[in-house]
Amino acid sequence: MRTKKNATAEIDFGGLVNALPGMVWITQSDGHGSFVNRSWREYTGLSLDEALAHGWQTALHPDDLGAFLNSWNAIRQSGVAQEIDGRLRRFDGEYRWFVFHASPLPDSGSVDAHWCWLGVCVDERSTLDGRLRRFFDMLPWQAGFLNTAGISEFSNRQSLNDFHMTQEQLEQWRTSGIIHVDDFEKNVIASTALLSTGKMYDEQIRMLYPGGEYRWTRARCVPVRDAHGNIVRYVTFQIDVDDLKRAETLLAAEVNLLEMVARGEPLGRVLDALSRHVEVLCHGCFCSILMVAPDAKHFRVGAGANIPQAFNEFLEGRTIDGGNDPCSLAVVAKSSVFTADVLEDSRWRGSEWPSLLKVYGYASCCALPIMSGSGEASGVITVYRPKAIGLTPAEQDLVDRFTKIAGIAIDRARADSALQMRERELREALSQLAEGQRLSKTGSFTWDVLADRHNWSEEVRRIFGFNQESTVTMAMVQATVHPEDIDSFESMIGDAVRGAPDFDLVFRILTTQGELRHAHVVGHRADLITDRPVFIGALQDVTERELAEERLNRARAELTHVARVATLSTMTASIAHEVSQPIAGILTNASTLVRMLAAEPPNLVGAAETARRTIRDANRASEVVKRLRAMFTKKLPTLERVDVNDATREVVALSSGELQRAHAVVQTHFAEGLPAVSCDRVQLQQVILNLLLNAADAMSGVVDRPRTLLIQTESGAKDSVRLLVRDSGVGVDPNAVEKLFDAFYTTKAHGMGVGLAISRSIIESHKGRLWAVANEGPGATFSFSIPGAPPEVLAGPVDGLDSHD
Ligand code: ADP
């Protein structure tokens, strides 16, 4: 009886293995074949003898054999069953893909064991290679693989689509020009390194796309190794980084240009660099930059290094006419003008433009206006192309960005040149100012009150006798002010510190060199400069003026004295009368007194009364004499507070004899509450006396009407006081009134003709005015007005009699 076990042992395994539809063979671990089944032999067409030993390996595809053996070696080492892909040659020479399963035979526990191989034919797509290809085809970027010799075996669908090429065409990359000529060499170097050392290829290169456009691609290629580290193929991936790369390049270009602008490099250099950047970023184009000339009617060439010289010369100075060429149109319309094919564009038909561009080899032309910050077109960037293809939207965008930088550069250059011009003008103005200050002896200054900071012009320093370098302080200034003027100077400073908006003072300076100078300073607080008081002002050296005034005053005093003495002579008779009357009274009283004292008994009461009358008359005489002395003494003028009514009354009293002799009917009308004026009392009285005597003279020949003389005072505007003397004399010619005030003009036989001239200069030296008008009726009116005394003028002696010698 056969046991079940025996029945199993009786199975013909050799027959079974031969009957299997799959391929089976057995090798020793060194690859020495000891068995191949029938299916194997039928498929490969090799006999058992041919297949044994290493003969079975001849059926494997030569390209796969190395990898196969390597993989098997790894499997053998690990002792674990695994699969290996490989192509097996059919009897007719065609290769088909198989998956080979290798497993050690159960009885073998060592590396010398036998291995059983099972080969299953698989569809190409299900092999690792096939799966890889399908996977690669799904990728949205370019990918593929190369064999160990670096030859492209497979390029994915994205690659073939992108380049519009077959696998075979792509393999010709060395000669097809698909790689930009400038990137070719680095590609070769990196490829060689990859193949010789296995170092990863990682480069950015420009690849040619259908339509002639090169795009930046980041290509990476890595070796694929088997379990032993042997390279079995290379996998490549390529990603289009053109947008990124352009953005990077654009950014770098923009940064570079803006740095140039910021550094203030000459506009020509900036525009030249800009045009070159445009040419790099817009492949195959030529960039020209035209600027609008200051007259806004012509172009000036700004840049165009790669534009033919003759074309640049043609463009230089060309009129901007708006309709005839793309550049003008872009500037006038302030918008971009794109002409893809200049020969076809109807806008330029009839203009010289198409034929001109043809001469220089350009077919397309895109003009983009450069806008300045003020909204005007300051130029135009024009991009020419030899081919009749305009700019792509990306390129338009890019050039547009460059027009913005060009706008900034042009604005900056114009602002710079305007600034330089202003600086030049300012320098000239300053030197003129300095010259003007020197000539007019007027300097300017600023004074920061709280900081005690002083900014003085050269001239102010010169007037004070300070050197140009010294730091000025208020203490230094005060130390040079004349001791007699320091009080008024300090009170001015005090007012300014306390907030007065202006100051105005004439004071004297005693320079450290011992020179005396008169200075007139005016200042005004400039609130807008800082948050604290700063005065700006001017200071004039008025030394000469003041000295001249002093001389003038002396001369006037001399002349006034002469005139007064002359007046005295005309008044001798009436003065003699004024004096002789009380003296006669004294004489009469004296004899009466003697008589009364000599009587028996002496008339003491009468004598006392008579003595009193004598004293009265003596006082009257002495008073007259005092007044005369006061009037006719030679002295320099002094300012005091004067009541014009009082001063006038005295003059009227003094001249009353004279006026009576002239038969003048005197009327006085003195206004009440008149403000005091600040003047030299004697000089003022002389003016009044002069007017009265002239009026009396003017009426001396009048017989047909009363000789009325009105003397009137009144207050005028701003505390001024006015006095008028109206007569009914011969009158004045209204057209020649001013002549009367000329020195030495007289119509009188014994006149000197200086009275009115002196009177006017006296009144004007008191900042007043003296004038004459013809009356409505007969006669003339002479008036003066004189400003009221400021409060600081000290009250002077009211009668003015006792203060003079
Ligand atoms: P003088 O009295 O010595 O002539 P003035 O300068 O005082 O010098 O006067 C100049 C001239 O002005 C006089 O000669 C006279 O012709 C004219 N004049 C002055 N006052 C009067 C007046 N009140 N009416 C008309 N003419 C006058």
Side-chain angles (χ1 to χ4, degrees), residues 290-335:
L290 300 180
M291 290 188 296
V292 174
D295 67 2
K297 294 195 177 80
H298 298 89
F299 280 127
R300 293 264 168 278
V301 171
N306 294 316
I307 299 286
Q309 178 68 16
F311 190 25
N312 273 334
E313 281 167 13
F314 168 81
L315 292 169
E316 176 65 34
R318 199 179 149 77
T319 307
I320 301 171
D321 62 8
N324 243 351
D325 68 272
C327 304
S328 290
L329 183 59
V331 164
V332 172
K334 297 182 184 171
S335 66

Side-chain angles (χ1 to χ4, degrees), residues 10 74 296 300 692:
E10 282 163 14
R300 293 264 168 278
L692 295 186

Side-chain angles (χ1 to χ4, degrees), residues 2-131:
R2 285 183 185 171
T3 61
K4 198 171 182 189
K5 187 183 169 201
N6 285 343
T8 308
E10 282 163 14
I11 291 172
D12 176 6
F13 282 103
L16 181 69
V17 172
N18 273 328
L20 283 175
M23 277 172 256
V24 176
W25 74 103
I26 294 171
T27 66
Q28 293 169 11
S29 60
D30 62 356
H32 191 97
S34 55
F35 171 78
V36 289
N37 74 348
R38 189 166 64 233
S39 295
W40 196 97
R41 293 198 302 273
E42 282 172 4
Y43 175 83
T44 61
L46 296 178
S47 66
L48 185 62
D49 290 342
E50 286 169 322
L52 292 180
H54 288 95
W56 62 272
Q57 292 179 6
T58 60
L60 277 171
H61 193 291
D63 286 351
D64 300 341
L65 182 62
F68 182 95
L69 294 176
N70 285 335
S71 300
W72 182 40
N73 199 27
I75 294 168
R76 200 164 52 86
Q77 300 282 335
S78 68
V80 179
Q82 276 185 47
E83 292 178 357
I84 306 176
D85 282 346
R87 280 162 293 181
L88 199 63
R89 191 184 64 233
R90 210 162 61 176
F91 63 89
D92 57 0
E94 195 185 306
Y95 285 95
R96 306 199 70 172
W97 281 97
F98 282 77
V99 176
F100 302 111
H101 302 265
S103 45
L105 283 180
D107 59 343
S108 55
S110 71
V111 290
D112 297 327
H114 285 81
W115 288 73
C116 175
W117 296 89
L118 177 65
V120 181
C121 181
V122 288
D123 181 81
E124 186 182 327
R125 284 175 303 150
S126 62
T127 60
L128 178 60
D129 190 76
R131 288 200 299 273

Side-chain angles (χ1 to χ4, degrees), residues 369-391:
I370 299 169
M371 302 302 295
S372 80
S374 63
E376 290 307 305
S378 55
V380 57
I381 296 187
T382 314
V383 176
Y384 300 98
R385 266 203 165 122
K387 287 190 191 156
I389 43 166
L391 295 176

